[in-house]
């Protein structure tokens, strides 16, 4: 769990904040998306991302660490078997926060925090980029050679007409 912030702790003590974030993370992993206040969503994001990173490692030590935060074994099992493999190629950024306006009763700013779906676009490595550039240069050279060869017979035909 993150070190409790100094000052306001989402309306309670450090222990209350820790338990509230654990319950929010549990709901997020259970449902995939939850609606909460912006402040709680921003505090939840690093907690959830750390738990997913531990689940990606998948060993017993990390499972026990996650079980210290999320005490429901069924949700921890889901996290390790379904959610973590989805992000095996993703280096981070497993959650998305979307603002949805203010709550009707007390005008509190609300947000939806959800697990990101889909694959991340892989960045091309330097070697792949250089190889692609070399291929493009070769293709351009071949096109120029073909254009020169196509132009030679036309020039020869023009010279024979002049003679």
């Amino acid at each position: 769990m993150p070190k409790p912030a100094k000052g306001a702790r989402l309306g309670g003590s450090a222990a209350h904040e820790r338990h509230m974030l654990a319950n929010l993370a549990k709901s997020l992993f259970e449902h995939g998306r939850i609606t909460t206040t912006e402040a709680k969503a921003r505090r939840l994001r690093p907690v959830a991302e750390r738990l997913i990173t531990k689940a990606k490692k998948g060993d017993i030590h990390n499972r026990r660490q996650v079980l210290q935060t999320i005490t429901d074994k069924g949700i921890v099992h889901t996290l390790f078997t379904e959610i973590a493999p989805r992000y095996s190629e993703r280096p981070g950024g497993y959650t998305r926060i979307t603002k949805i306006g203010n709550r009707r009763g007390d005008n509190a700013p609300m947000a939806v925090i959800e697990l990101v779906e889909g694959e991340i676009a892989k960045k091309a490595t330097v070697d792949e980029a250089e190889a692609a550039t070399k291929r493009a240069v070769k293709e351009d050279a071949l096109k120029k050679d073909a254009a020169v060869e196509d132009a030679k017979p036309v020039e020869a035909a023009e010279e024979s007409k002049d003679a």
Side-chain angles (χ1 to χ4, degrees):
M1 295 301 302
K3 179 181 175 186
K6 293 183 179 179
R9 293 185 182 91
L10 298 177
S13 65
H16 181 253
E17 180 188 37
R18 192 172 58 246
H19 290 298
M20 190 173 8
L21 291 175
N23 284 332
L24 285 170
K26 177 178 150 184
S27 297
L28 178 64
F29 297 140
E30 184 177 2
H31 302 291
R33 160 190 312 211
I34 57 172
T35 302
T36 184
T37 62
E38 278 184 39
K40 287 179 185 175
R42 287 183 182 170
R43 296 300 293 268
L44 173 61
R45 173 181 257 170
V47 173
E49 301 230 353
R50 275 192 204 101
L51 292 173
I52 292 173
T53 302
K54 287 176 191 265
K56 278 174 53 176
K57 293 177 185 173
D59 59 353
I60 191 69
H61 176 67
N62 285 301
R63 183 177 290 265
R64 287 176 177 161
Q65 286 185 329
V66 170
L67 277 165
Q68 287 178 342
T69 303
I70 301 174
T71 56
D72 187 343
K73 289 183 180 179
I75 294 174
V76 172
H77 178 73
T78 304
L79 175 63
F80 275 76
T81 58
E82 295 174 16
I83 297 171
R86 216 184 324 171
Y87 302 115
S88 61
E89 296 297 318
R90 195 177 187 97
Y94 314 118
T95 58
R96 174 186 304 127
I97 297 175
T98 308
K99 297 178 183 180
I100 58 170
N102 294 341
R103 187 162 47 199
R104 190 169 182 191
D106 60 355
N107 209 30
M110 298 297 286
V112 172
I113 183 167
E114 59 188 341
L115 296 173
V116 175
E117 298 294 328
E119 291 294 319
I120 189 167
K122 289 186 178 179
K123 293 183 180 179
T125 62
V126 176
D127 295 336
E128 291 173 355
E130 289 176 0
T133 305
K134 288 179 182 178
R135 278 195 302 270
V137 169
K138 285 181 182 178
E139 289 173 3
D140 289 341
L142 291 174
K143 287 179 183 177
K144 287 179 183 178
D145 289 343
V148 169
E149 290 176 7
D150 290 341
K152 285 182 182 177
V154 174
E155 291 173 1
E158 289 177 5
E159 289 177 7
S160 63
K161 287 182 184 178
D162 293 337

